Amino acid sequence: QVQLVESGGGLVQPGGSLRLSCAASGSIFSVNAMGWYRQAPGKEREVVAAAIGSSGVTNVVDSLKGRFSISRDNAKNTVYLQMNSMKPDDTAVYVCNAVLKVSRYGAFQTYWGQGTQVTVSS
């Protein structure tokens, strides 16, 4: 059983910062990629950022570059999303995912967390 648990969401004022964490636990053999998505009310889920492989390759969607950054602790199977200069448009449920496998010869599968609410408001 694999679980992804997000933390760090909450209410922040415009211009403020938040750091989200997502830890993958359970029977994990190896993790390929971990990333963040978000879904605002009435909108489709959109990708935010991803950390791919164990070499530290990261990518943030162009519209969020300069404000958001992603990092990963491979030893802890944890991914972080640092959000700075936040705007009301960043309000959404932020969900993390991980592409991993639970055995040496198994296939990579995608797992999702439950999400954490982020609200940017004064």
Side-chain angles (χ1 to χ4, degrees):
Q1 189 77 9
V2 174
Q3 282 189 317
L4 273 63
V5 179
E6 301 103 333
S7 61
L11 174 64
V12 62
Q13 292 187 341
S17 298
L18 276 179
R19 188 191 193 212
L20 305 182
S21 300
C22 172
S25 63
S27 179
I28 298 172
F29 179 77
S30 69
V31 180
N32 181 19
M34 298 185 77
W36 290 95
Y37 289 70
R38 70 182 184 182
Q39 187 164 16
K43 295 185 178 181
E44 294 186 354
R45 181 176 289 186
E46 60 177 355
V47 64
V48 174
I52 303 168
S54 59
S55 59
V57 174
T58 61
N59 190 37
V60 176
V61 295
D62 288 345
S63 61
L64 299 175
K65 285 181 179 177
R67 297 195 300 119
F68 287 20
S69 62
I70 186 171
S71 60
R72 178 175 157 185
D73 185 331
N74 293 328
K76 296 181 179 180
N77 289 330
T78 298
V79 66
Y80 305 94
L81 183 68
Q82 179 66 44
M83 304 182 289
N84 300 325
S85 303
M86 296 188 71
K87 304 174 181 180
D89 284 348
D90 295 323
T91 295
V93 175
Y94 285 71
V95 184
C96 78
N97 78 342
V99 180
L100 58 87
K101 56 180 180 179
V102 298
S103 64
R104 178 185 294 273
Y105 301 109
F108 282 102
Q109 293 181 308
T110 300
Y111 294 81
W112 294 89
Q114 292 296 312
T116 184
Q117 176 69 46
V118 171
T119 302
V120 185
S121 175
S122 55

